[in-house]
Amino acid sequence: MSTCAIPIDLSALRRAGAQAAGAGSTPPAAAAPATQATATPATQAPAPRWPQAAIEALFERPLLDLLFQAQQVHRQHFDPNEVQLSTLLSIKTGGCAEDCGYCPQSAHFDTGIEASKLMPLDAVLQAASEAKAQGASRFCMGAAWRSPKMRDLQRVTEMVQGVRALGLETCMTLGMLDAEQAQQLKSAGLDYYNHNLDSAPDFYGQIISTRSYQDRLDTLEHVRQAGINVCSGGIVGMGETRAQRAGLIAQLANLEPYPESVPINNLVPMPGTPLADAEPIDPFEFVRTIAVARITMPSAWVRLSAGREQMDDALQALCFAAGANSIFYGDRLLTTANPQAARDRALFERLGLRAQGQAAAPSA
Ligand code: SF4
């Protein structure tokens, strides 16, 4: 799965691309969040809840101290052995007008991904039913659009209603939204809208030129104002510095309120994209990013997102210890074969984890 702003089924895309291209303890003072300024003079902007320096200080902590702190925060807000399962479906793949440098769906790059039309409603509902049968509690639908057109919005609202009727939470990622579009999705019952910030503002321009950082913040604001839960995170391993990773977390953690769901993606370099040859990030740095997200956004679902397929079980376990408590689950659920879900079930069994909503095993 890609690190896309749009959470598409990247397992499928990767295959296609490959074919085509060949509370704990008190944090140190420097890492403590600033309290929200209430008596700030009107002429002065309020201090951010999490100054960048405090977030950078978290990144600098010894890894085991950082993990301990993250785990303590995690346990104050969540059952540490419970993981939320989301399944995603690309409802409209490829041919996107944007130029996100990591994304094989961009029409700017020759990645071998063919543009497809919006999936029919019955196929989407079939995939959602299968996801539910596999144990998913949330069904995410992504379309490779700059923003949805009016005629498309009508069709995706039907998908939201249909998936909700199956008893699943719904999430969509359709590109930029204006206030009216966000309201329409809210009226259809949409639970979450995903729109990633991707990276820090001072690195973003190296990755994307067709959509500004402010465009992204505006969409998040429209989603928030409409009363839809915000899902927003980013991608690491694109060549950014540690300070820029901290900058991404600072942007997310200082949103008022911070997102309910925070996907942290590890770049999966895709053939044909400008980031095809990006150097992989140190796995422990990825774990640190998860831990810092957990500490700074204590009640958010922190999703171990793209890149999980490339991680071994031990690294995934470390990510859960760092406070990740959501995953994308399943491979292509339009087919009966689902080896990825089987691997996840085996991992959960070994780690004693369970899916959100599943009863805990009685203690011996
Ligand atoms: S906006 Fe388009 S190019 Fe950018 S990540 Fe989404 S699908 Fe890919």
Side-chain angles (χ1 to χ4, degrees), residues 4-6 96 98-100 102-103 105-106 144-145 211:
C4 219
I6 291 178
C96 182
E98 305 291 291
D99 69 350
C100 309
Y102 48 82
C103 181
Q105 301 202 73
S106 169
W145 288 322
R211 175 186 296 177

PDB file of all heavy atoms in Angstrom, residues 4-6 96 98-100 102-103 105-106 144-145 211, ligand 1:
ATOM      1  N   CYS A   4       0.414   7.120  -0.183  1.00  0.00           N
ATOM      2  CA  CYS A   4      -0.378   8.117  -0.837  1.00  0.00           C
ATOM      3  C   CYS A   4      -1.203   8.933   0.112  1.00  0.00           C
ATOM      4  O   CYS A   4      -1.633   8.474   1.140  1.00  0.00           O
ATOM      5  CB  CYS A   4      -1.330   7.309  -1.622  1.00  0.00           C
ATOM      6  SG  CYS A   4      -1.824   7.662  -3.103  1.00  0.00           S
ATOM      7  N   ALA A   5      -1.486  10.144  -0.302  1.00  0.00           N
ATOM      8  CA  ALA A   5      -2.500  10.921   0.411  1.00  0.00           C
ATOM      9  C   ALA A   5      -3.806  10.166   0.326  1.00  0.00           C
ATOM     10  O   ALA A   5      -4.685  10.306   1.137  1.00  0.00           O
ATOM     11  CB  ALA A   5      -2.645  12.277  -0.215  1.00  0.00           C
ATOM     12  N   ILE A   6      -3.954   9.395  -0.698  1.00  0.00           N
ATOM     13  CA  ILE A   6      -5.135   8.575  -0.879  1.00  0.00           C
ATOM     14  C   ILE A   6      -4.785   7.153  -0.519  1.00  0.00           C
ATOM     15  O   ILE A   6      -3.904   6.561  -1.116  1.00  0.00           O
ATOM     16  CB  ILE A   6      -5.598   8.650  -2.342  1.00  0.00           C
ATOM     17  CG1 ILE A   6      -6.130  10.052  -2.593  1.00  0.00           C
ATOM     18  CG2 ILE A   6      -6.606   7.601  -2.666  1.00  0.00           C
ATOM     19  CD1 ILE A   6      -6.567  10.287  -3.995  1.00  0.00           C
ATOM     20  N   CYS A  96      -4.347  10.479 -11.985  1.00  0.00           N
ATOM     21  CA  CYS A  96      -4.568  11.651 -11.133  1.00  0.00           C
ATOM     22  C   CYS A  96      -3.765  12.849 -11.662  1.00  0.00           C
ATOM     23  O   CYS A  96      -2.615  12.717 -12.077  1.00  0.00           O
ATOM     24  CB  CYS A  96      -4.149  11.330  -9.704  1.00  0.00           C
ATOM     25  SG  CYS A  96      -4.446  12.703  -8.580  1.00  0.00           S
ATOM     26  N   GLU A  98      -2.597  15.294  -9.982  1.00  0.00           N
ATOM     27  CA  GLU A  98      -1.592  15.814  -9.040  1.00  0.00           C
ATOM     28  C   GLU A  98      -0.233  15.150  -9.304  1.00  0.00           C
ATOM     29  O   GLU A  98      -0.160  14.102  -9.959  1.00  0.00           O
ATOM     30  CB  GLU A  98      -2.027  15.535  -7.597  1.00  0.00           C
ATOM     31  CG  GLU A  98      -3.397  16.064  -7.269  1.00  0.00           C
ATOM     32  CD  GLU A  98      -3.447  17.580  -7.227  1.00  0.00           C
ATOM     33  OE1 GLU A  98      -2.856  18.168  -6.319  1.00  0.00           O
ATOM     34  OE2 GLU A  98      -4.069  18.176  -8.108  1.00  0.00           O
ATOM     35  N   ASP A  99       0.816  15.749  -8.759  1.00  0.00           N
ATOM     36  CA  ASP A  99       2.162  15.214  -9.049  1.00  0.00           C
ATOM     37  C   ASP A  99       2.902  14.779  -7.775  1.00  0.00           C
ATOM     38  O   ASP A  99       4.119  14.974  -7.665  1.00  0.00           O
ATOM     39  CB  ASP A  99       2.989  16.230  -9.840  1.00  0.00           C
ATOM     40  CG  ASP A  99       3.359  17.458  -9.011  1.00  0.00           C
ATOM     41  OD1 ASP A  99       2.827  17.616  -7.895  1.00  0.00           O
ATOM     42  OD2 ASP A  99       4.204  18.253  -9.475  1.00  0.00           O
ATOM     43  N   CYS A 100       2.203  14.168  -6.842  1.00  0.00           N
ATOM     44  CA  CYS A 100       2.822  13.699  -5.593  1.00  0.00           C
ATOM     45  C   CYS A 100       3.947  12.718  -5.959  1.00  0.00           C
ATOM     46  O   CYS A 100       3.693  11.676  -6.583  1.00  0.00           O
ATOM     47  CB  CYS A 100       1.781  13.031  -4.711  1.00  0.00           C
ATOM     48  SG  CYS A 100       0.307  14.063  -4.489  1.00  0.00           S
ATOM     49  N   TYR A 102       5.647  10.472  -4.718  1.00  0.00           N
ATOM     50  CA  TYR A 102       5.702   9.080  -4.237  1.00  0.00           C
ATOM     51  C   TYR A 102       4.627   8.206  -4.876  1.00  0.00           C
ATOM     52  O   TYR A 102       4.569   7.012  -4.628  1.00  0.00           O
ATOM     53  CB  TYR A 102       5.480   9.055  -2.699  1.00  0.00           C
ATOM     54  CG  TYR A 102       4.293   9.883  -2.278  1.00  0.00           C
ATOM     55  CD1 TYR A 102       3.004   9.388  -2.342  1.00  0.00           C
ATOM     56  CD2 TYR A 102       4.459  11.193  -1.837  1.00  0.00           C
ATOM     57  CE1 TYR A 102       1.913  10.149  -2.000  1.00  0.00           C
ATOM     58  CE2 TYR A 102       3.374  11.972  -1.476  1.00  0.00           C
ATOM     59  CZ  TYR A 102       2.103  11.445  -1.561  1.00  0.00           C
ATOM     60  OH  TYR A 102       1.019  12.217  -1.232  1.00  0.00           O
ATOM     61  N   CYS A 103       3.769   8.822  -5.692  1.00  0.00           N
ATOM     62  CA  CYS A 103       2.519   8.131  -6.010  1.00  0.00           C
ATOM     63  C   CYS A 103       2.475   7.574  -7.426  1.00  0.00           C
ATOM     64  O   CYS A 103       2.611   8.316  -8.407  1.00  0.00           O
ATOM     65  CB  CYS A 103       1.351   9.093  -5.805  1.00  0.00           C
ATOM     66  SG  CYS A 103      -0.225   8.290  -6.149  1.00  0.00           S
ATOM     67  N   GLN A 105      -0.039   6.650  -8.956  1.00  0.00           N
ATOM     68  CA  GLN A 105      -1.311   6.967  -9.614  1.00  0.00           C
ATOM     69  C   GLN A 105      -1.296   8.307 -10.333  1.00  0.00           C
ATOM     70  O   GLN A 105      -2.259   8.678 -10.993  1.00  0.00           O
ATOM     71  CB  GLN A 105      -2.428   6.984  -8.581  1.00  0.00           C
ATOM     72  CG  GLN A 105      -2.595   5.679  -7.861  1.00  0.00           C
ATOM     73  CD  GLN A 105      -3.970   5.582  -7.280  1.00  0.00           C
ATOM     74  OE1 GLN A 105      -4.952   5.384  -7.998  1.00  0.00           O
ATOM     75  NE2 GLN A 105      -4.078   5.767  -5.986  1.00  0.00           N
ATOM     76  N   SER A 106      -0.212   9.046 -10.144  1.00  0.00           N
ATOM     77  CA  SER A 106      -0.129  10.347 -10.787  1.00  0.00           C
ATOM     78  C   SER A 106       0.019  10.185 -12.287  1.00  0.00           C
ATOM     79  O   SER A 106       0.846   9.389 -12.752  1.00  0.00           O
ATOM     80  CB  SER A 106       1.067  11.117 -10.222  1.00  0.00           C
ATOM     81  OG  SER A 106       1.308  12.258 -11.020  1.00  0.00           O
ATOM     82  N   ALA A 144      -8.489   8.476  -6.854  1.00  0.00           N
ATOM     83  CA  ALA A 144      -7.346   9.290  -7.305  1.00  0.00           C
ATOM     84  C   ALA A 144      -7.864  10.509  -8.067  1.00  0.00           C
ATOM     85  O   ALA A 144      -7.841  10.557  -9.293  1.00  0.00           O
ATOM     86  CB  ALA A 144      -6.429   8.444  -8.178  1.00  0.00           C
ATOM     87  N   TRP A 145      -8.337  11.464  -7.309  1.00  0.00           N
ATOM     88  CA  TRP A 145      -8.833  12.714  -7.881  1.00  0.00           C
ATOM     89  C   TRP A 145      -8.101  13.882  -7.258  1.00  0.00           C
ATOM     90  O   TRP A 145      -7.676  13.816  -6.099  1.00  0.00           O
ATOM     91  CB  TRP A 145     -10.325  12.902  -7.567  1.00  0.00           C
ATOM     92  CG  TRP A 145     -11.249  12.017  -8.295  1.00  0.00           C
ATOM     93  CD1 TRP A 145     -11.162  11.607  -9.598  1.00  0.00           C
ATOM     94  CD2 TRP A 145     -12.444  11.419  -7.775  1.00  0.00           C
ATOM     95  NE1 TRP A 145     -12.235  10.799  -9.914  1.00  0.00           N
ATOM     96  CE2 TRP A 145     -13.030  10.677  -8.812  1.00  0.00           C
ATOM     97  CE3 TRP A 145     -13.096  11.438  -6.531  1.00  0.00           C
ATOM     98  CZ2 TRP A 145     -14.217   9.969  -8.659  1.00  0.00           C
ATOM     99  CZ3 TRP A 145     -14.272  10.749  -6.363  1.00  0.00           C
ATOM    100  CH2 TRP A 145     -14.834  10.009  -7.429  1.00  0.00           C
ATOM    101  N   ARG A 211      -0.340  21.086  -5.587  1.00  0.00           N
ATOM    102  CA  ARG A 211      -1.302  21.335  -4.502  1.00  0.00           C
ATOM    103  C   ARG A 211      -0.494  21.902  -3.347  1.00  0.00           C
ATOM    104  O   ARG A 211       0.528  21.328  -2.974  1.00  0.00           O
ATOM    105  CB  ARG A 211      -1.962  20.013  -4.113  1.00  0.00           C
ATOM    106  CG  ARG A 211      -2.876  20.073  -2.950  1.00  0.00           C
ATOM    107  CD  ARG A 211      -3.357  18.680  -2.579  1.00  0.00           C
ATOM    108  NE  ARG A 211      -4.164  18.048  -3.601  1.00  0.00           N
ATOM    109  CZ  ARG A 211      -4.655  16.810  -3.516  1.00  0.00           C
ATOM    110  NH1 ARG A 211      -4.416  16.069  -2.458  1.00  0.00           N
ATOM    111  NH2 ARG A 211      -5.378  16.308  -4.483  1.00  0.00           N
TER     112      ARG A 211
HETATM  113  S1  SF4 B   1      -3.522  13.244  -5.013  1.00  0.00           S
HETATM  114 FE1  SF4 B   1      -3.259  11.917  -6.794  1.00  0.00          FE
HETATM  115  S2  SF4 B   1      -1.049  11.818  -7.145  1.00  0.00           S
HETATM  116 FE2  SF4 B   1      -1.359  12.640  -5.064  1.00  0.00          FE
HETATM  117  S3  SF4 B   1      -1.311  10.836  -3.727  1.00  0.00           S
HETATM  118 FE3  SF4 B   1      -3.433  11.140  -4.268  1.00  0.00          FE
HETATM  119  S4  SF4 B   1      -3.784   9.869  -6.081  1.00  0.00           S
HETATM  120 FE4  SF4 B   1      -1.584  10.102  -5.842  1.00  0.00          FE
END
